[in-house]
Amino acid sequence: MSKSSTLFIGMDVHKESIEIAIAESHSHEVRRYGKIGGTQGDFRKALRKLVASGKALTFCYEAGPCGYELYRLIVKEGVSCLVVAPSLIPKKPGDKVKTDKRDAVQLARLFRAGELTSVYVPCREDEAMRDLSRAREDAMLVLKSARQRLKSFLLRHDIRYQGKTSWNECHLRWLADEVCLPESAQKIVFQEYVNATTESSASS
């Protein structure tokens, strides 16, 4: 790729929109290209216009909640793309004003200067395993929270389990057969907490 014919394109990517800025290799100027929609169809339209310039393109955007599908689309089209580590983007002291436009322009400028650090982009199989691991961790946190709410509810009403280990068969049987509450509203709350704990346990 000839540096003299390259457009370094920074993108600030969000769910509903992508702000695009361009730094040309032969010019000090960094210009705003514009804001497009956040779908792949919107990006393909913009990409066709940029390709029509006849210059080599190379894109970058920050790793974030929108994931890596935009990267995969760009690479599939035969264009270079870098996913940037947000924590390693150089920042000027005191520069705390953030807008989509400024972020895109800053990315393009730093990209052209070679000052950005990329992250590893996993293949879809690796990403699926990451998703599975995160889902497992989330389920365990939900279960822990549900159990804590139930135990706190019982403690507020001075209902104490005398066994040594919670959440085993004996404890669950005690919850089902021995816990008695005087008010119907409390019985409803207790059952809701038990149901939440049971469902969270099943999903984890």
Side-chain angles (χ1 to χ4, degrees):
M1 181 183 297
S2 172
K3 187 174 181 180
S4 63
S5 62
T6 300
L7 300 182
F8 295 87
I9 303 170
M11 300 184 294
D12 193 54
V13 179
H14 300 278
K15 176 184 176 182
E16 302 296 339
S17 65
I18 302 174
E19 179 73 36
I20 300 175
I22 298 174
E24 298 196 37
S25 54
H26 64 276
S27 169
H28 293 297
E29 178 188 10
V30 181
R31 60 185 172 86
R32 180 178 184 251
Y33 176 83
K35 179 177 286 190
I36 64 173
T39 69
Q40 291 195 357
D42 294 325
F43 181 79
R44 284 193 176 95
K45 291 178 183 178
L47 180 60
R48 284 197 294 269
K49 292 179 181 179
L50 289 165
V51 168
S53 70
K55 297 182 179 181
L57 311 176
T58 181
F59 290 83
C60 74
Y61 68 95
E62 291 184 44
C66 291
Y68 302 112
E69 288 304 316
L70 179 58
Y71 167 88
R72 294 182 180 119
L73 168 62
I74 294 171
V75 171
K76 186 177 180 180
E77 294 293 330
V79 180
S80 171
C81 183
L82 190 75
V83 182
V84 180
S87 61
L88 299 179
I89 295 175
K91 293 179 175 61
K92 294 180 181 179
D95 187 7
K96 297 181 179 180
V97 179
K98 285 179 62 65
T99 67
D100 296 351
K101 178 181 176 180
R102 290 187 64 174
D103 287 349
V105 167
Q106 181 73 345
L107 280 173
R109 180 180 292 111
L110 293 171
F111 192 23
R112 180 178 60 189
E115 296 183 13
L116 297 177
T117 302
S118 64
V119 301
Y120 165 69
V121 178
C123 65
R124 284 195 171 91
E125 291 78 7
D126 287 346
E127 189 171 21
M129 293 305 298
R130 288 185 181 184
D131 290 338
L132 182 61
S133 178
R134 290 192 191 103
R136 171 68 176 173
E137 291 174 0
D138 290 343
M140 294 304 296
L141 289 174
V142 170
L143 175 59
K144 181 179 179 180
S145 179
R147 287 176 170 178
Q148 186 59 48
R149 286 194 296 268
L150 176 55
K151 292 176 75 173
S152 296
F153 172 78
L154 294 175
L155 183 60
R156 287 199 303 272
H157 297 285
D158 198 30
I159 299 173
R160 303 169 186 264
Y161 178 59
Q162 299 303 316
K164 294 182 178 180
T165 304
S166 297
W167 313 116
N168 57 14
E169 289 186 11
C170 291
H171 183 226
L172 296 177
R173 190 159 48 247
W174 175 79
L175 287 171
D177 300 335
E178 301 297 331
V179 174
C180 295
L181 292 155
E183 301 295 331
S184 58
Q186 292 172 339
K187 293 177 182 178
I188 292 172
V189 173
F190 170 69
Q191 192 57 53
E192 288 292 332
Y193 283 143
V194 170
N195 291 346
T197 301
T198 303
E199 291 168 4
S200 297
S201 181
S203 64
S204 64

